[in-house]
């Protein structure tokens, strides 16, 4: 659920800019932990569409394009891989 992505973490990491579940999930993917990220999405019942919407909203908040977030990690290849996981 999109609401879950905005839930603030009990232990935030200001140095890394990780304040919410969504930030933590995106950071997990960016750091190469694809399997862990997919597992977290399943546990939280978050769909790929919801993750995309979250990232689009973050990009708008920061005044940039989606492809600029997280060092350009969320490319078409990422979304194709995520789609193959049926999330």
């Amino acid at each position: 659920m999109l609401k879950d992505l905005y839930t603030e973490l009990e232990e935030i990491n200001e140095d890394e800019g990780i304040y919410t579940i969504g930030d933590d999930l995106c950071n997990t993917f960016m750091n190469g932990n694809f399997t862990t990220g997919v597992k977290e999405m399943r546990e939280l019942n978050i769909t790929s569409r919801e993750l995309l919407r979250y990232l689009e909203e973050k990009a708008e908040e920061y005044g940039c394009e989606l492809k600029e977030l997280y060092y350009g990690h969320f490319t078409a290849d990422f979304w194709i891989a995520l789609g193959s996981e049926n999330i």
Side-chain angles (χ1 to χ4, degrees), residues 17-29:
I18 302 172
Y19 301 96
T20 65
I21 288 173
D23 296 337
D24 189 48
L25 179 61
C26 291
N27 195 59
T28 297
F29 281 122

